[in-house]
Amino acid sequence: MTSTRATERVLLASAFMLSASNSVVFALMGNLQDEFGFSAAGLGFIAAAGFLASFIMQVVVAPFADRGHAKLLMILGPVLAIIGNATFATGSTLVQFVIARAIAGSATGCFYPPARALMANLKSEGQSERLGAMAGIDLAGFVTGPVIGGLLVGPLGLRWPFVIFSIAAGISFFLVSTRPLPDLPRSTERAGLPFGLLRDRGVLVPILLLVALALPVGLYDSLWDRFLTDLGASDAVVGLSLGAYAIPFVALSRFGGRLADRRGHLLVAWSGIFVVAPFTVLYGQFSAVWIPIALGTIESCAQACAAPAAAGLLARNAPPGRAAAAQGLAGACNQLVAAVVALLATWGYGHTSPNVLFAVAGVAVLVVGTSARLLHTPPRGSG
């Protein structure tokens, strides 16, 4: 039997490698388009395939982790990541790239729900702290993949970054498959779709909190580059802005989770939403590039506290034997909301001003977060 600390290190290292492996493509999408000549709409098809596949896996496959198959799903995740990167490396048509991205999206959909459930269930205390650490390492990997991929494509060509990050996924496979991992509490129910969990307010409230926090992320993913570029930012400044957002989150997410464990999950998550909502509104109100970047750094600190708090509340309130199903449902809801917001934002950017879009997003964060607070009932445990 491995110690809690050793298991935590295995889960974090595996998550980092898998996240980096699956995110490398985001630095190479334009290169793929230039090299193989598909339309700009093809970029949307590739991205949408990843969102959709991850959504399906998190609602359809993740519940099987609660029936004794958590490690199997966590092994399947890196295997799919290897296949996805290999398909990108050998592909030459849009259809192949869409399939590759769907496979990569399936990888995260298989791996993360049981990984988060295991991280939360290592012991009864410190759930938000451990989930915060996983959220931070996930974002660190997500940023690392495109940075290294962008540096490698020049000297090595377009295919080799995918080959190299297939090896990173292989390391994740080795870490998970060769180490003993604890079992999740098992469910005696049929492993069906988890949407029925939303009838439980203990599950619904933290999922709404997580959705509120994820809502502006869909806006940033689709428009941040375009928005800053229109304000006069260079590619280097846009890259710097992403680092300015990511570094505080990575550095503070474990602390944020620890704060939630000590002060109360709902209090910390709700307080974070009251920072995220007005800051989202403020992004569109300034024409100087450095102001949105500075606001993003501050918002990242709030997200680093609020997101682990909401995730910890979900882990605390998930029904016995449904930990992975609850985590998968939360991840699927976040993916769906982010995708819808991204589509609406890209359409709206051509029809209205950025300050209107950011204002609407900020109000939506507050509305969803307030709905969660109003629906809250005293949890089964503390928090």
Side-chain angles (χ1 to χ4, degrees):
M1 177 68 68
T2 58
S3 69
T4 297
R5 182 63 64 182
T7 301
E8 183 178 336
R9 286 196 293 264
V10 168
L11 293 173
L12 291 176
S14 301
F16 176 83
M17 290 295 178
L18 184 68
S19 182
S21 172
N22 280 343
S23 67
V24 63
V25 66
F26 293 113
L28 306 176
M29 295 273 273
N31 301 77
L32 290 171
Q33 183 183 18
D34 293 341
E35 178 76 15
F36 299 104
F38 52 85
S39 68
L43 298 175
F45 294 147
I46 295 171
F51 281 126
L52 179 61
S54 179
F55 175 85
I56 291 172
M57 286 293 177
Q58 290 189 89
V59 298
V60 176
V61 177
F64 286 96
D66 294 320
R67 297 182 62 84
H69 304 300
K71 184 170 182 176
L72 176 61
L73 292 182
M74 291 177 63
I75 291 173
L76 180 59
V79 170
L80 290 172
I82 293 169
I83 296 172
N85 274 301
T87 305
F88 271 120
T90 57
S92 59
T93 67
L94 176 60
V95 171
Q96 289 173 304
F97 298 141
V98 169
I99 292 172
R101 187 61 196 149
I103 295 171
S106 299
T108 59
C110 284
F111 179 88
Y112 275 104
R116 292 188 180 109
L118 281 172
M119 185 68 90
N121 281 274
L122 290 178
K123 52 184 179 179
S124 58
E125 66 274 10
Q127 290 176 315
S128 290
E129 180 178 353
R130 293 190 300 276
L131 288 170
M134 175 158 279
I137 209 71
D138 179 25
L139 182 58
F142 186 84
V143 172
T144 299
V147 170
I148 295 179
L151 293 174
L152 292 177
V153 68
L156 298 181
L158 183 54
R159 299 189 188 277
W160 275 102
F162 293 112
V163 174
I164 291 171
F165 277 94
S166 289
I167 298 172
I171 295 173
S172 180
F173 168 82
F174 174 80
L175 289 171
V176 173
S177 62
T178 61
R179 304 297 178 92
L181 296 174
D183 292 326
L184 287 171
R186 295 198 182 191
S187 170
T188 58
E189 301 177 18
R190 184 175 60 88
L193 299 181
F195 295 112
L197 290 173
L198 294 175
R199 291 193 294 267
D200 183 343
R201 290 194 182 189
V203 173
L204 176 61
V205 166
I207 286 181
L208 285 175
L209 292 170
L210 289 166
V211 165
L213 295 166
L215 194 152
V217 174
L219 187 65
Y220 307 153
D221 283 351
S222 59
L223 288 183
W224 191 251
D225 186 357
R226 178 76 270 158
F227 172 61
L228 291 187
T229 300
D230 288 347
L231 291 181
S234 65
D235 290 339
V237 170
V238 173
L240 177 64
S241 75
L242 298 177
Y245 184 93
I247 291 173
F249 188 96
V250 173
L252 295 175
S253 55
R254 181 183 280 274
F255 165 79
R258 188 183 309 126
L259 181 67
D261 288 326
R262 292 177 178 175
R263 300 295 184 183
H265 302 87
L266 185 68
L267 173 63
V268 174
W270 180 238
S271 300
I273 284 174
F274 261 91
V275 175
V276 172
F279 273 62
T280 303
V281 174
L282 287 173
Y283 285 123
Q285 310 304 313
F286 301 96
S287 57
V289 170
W290 67 269
I291 296 180
I293 296 174
L295 293 173
T297 302
I298 300 171
E299 188 211 326
S300 175
C301 297
Q303 289 271 7
C305 295
L313 184 62
L314 177 62
R316 179 69 58 88
N317 291 348
R322 304 299 304 277
Q327 293 292 335
L329 180 61
C333 290
N334 285 354
Q335 290 270 11
L336 180 62
V337 168
V340 170
V341 170
L343 290 172
L344 292 175
T346 51
W347 172 84
Y349 198 77
H351 293 80
T352 188
S353 62
N355 62 321
V356 172
L357 290 177
F358 283 109
V360 169
V363 170
V365 170
L366 189 59
V367 168
V368 176
T370 301
S371 299
R373 183 65 184 88
L374 294 174
L375 289 170
H376 174 70
T377 55
R380 300 182 182 95
S382 63

